[in-house]
Amino acid sequence: MTRPRCALSGGEWYSPYGDGYIQGPGRGLDIDHLVPLAEAWDSGTSAWSAAEREAYANDLGDDRALIAVSAASNGSKADQDPTTWLPPAEGYRCQCVTGWIADKLRWSLSIDPSEAAALSENLSRCPNVPITVPLAR
């Protein structure tokens, strides 16, 4: 069965990593996994079934898991974790770090010591706000 192809004809999207807008038909726009699939693999999804990994990769149960960002900022992030990459837009860093933690908790993924240190350091600069974690799967 073939599926019809859809294409965006125009619009404006906000890319929180660079704190800017992308105009037009969606070129230059990527959907990013806040916790990259390679990082998730290293953090526990490697032991999951294909169906569980697919559920993670297509997670629409938490707005923080998949976000629209500029292709350039997504490319600069690649599969890095907070030890080596944070969004250039300082105003989005707290949301990025708390979203990272929520995603890892939600899916019972591990956090290595250097990752935990980077998360803790960055959280120390954030307002004291609870991190809500919806149930996964």
Side-chain angles (χ1 to χ4, degrees), residues 55-133:
Y56 177 80
N58 296 302
D59 183 8
L60 297 177
D62 187 340
D63 292 342
R64 298 168 289 197
L66 297 170
I67 55 174
V69 298
S70 71
S73 62
N74 191 28
S76 75
K77 176 186 170 208
D79 63 355
Q80 297 179 81
D81 71 23
T83 62
T84 56
W85 186 90
L86 285 171
E90 289 187 28
Y92 187 70
R93 288 183 182 169
C94 288
Q95 190 173 344
C96 182
V97 169
T98 57
W100 184 280
I101 293 167
D103 200 49
K104 289 271 188 139
L105 289 171
R106 183 167 186 252
W107 291 93
S108 300
L109 299 174
S110 66
I111 295 177
D112 65 48
S114 61
E115 182 183 357
L119 291 167
S120 180
E121 178 185 330
N122 283 284
L123 283 174
S124 71
R125 296 185 211 109
C126 298
N128 190 12
V129 190
I131 300 173
T132 58
V133 182

Side-chain angles (χ1 to χ4, degrees), residues 2-6:
T2 61
R3 295 183 181 177
R5 293 194 156 261
C6 297

Side-chain angles (χ1 to χ4, degrees), residues 20-33:
Y21 287 89
I22 299 166
Q23 308 279 332
R27 286 185 209 95
L29 180 73
D30 280 355
I31 302 302
D32 181 44
H33 292 89

Side-chain angles (χ1 to χ4, degrees), residues 9-30:
S9 60
E12 179 177 72
W13 293 269
Y14 177 69
S15 177
Y17 289 173
D19 193 26
Y21 287 89
I22 299 166
Q23 308 279 332
R27 286 185 209 95
L29 180 73
D30 280 355

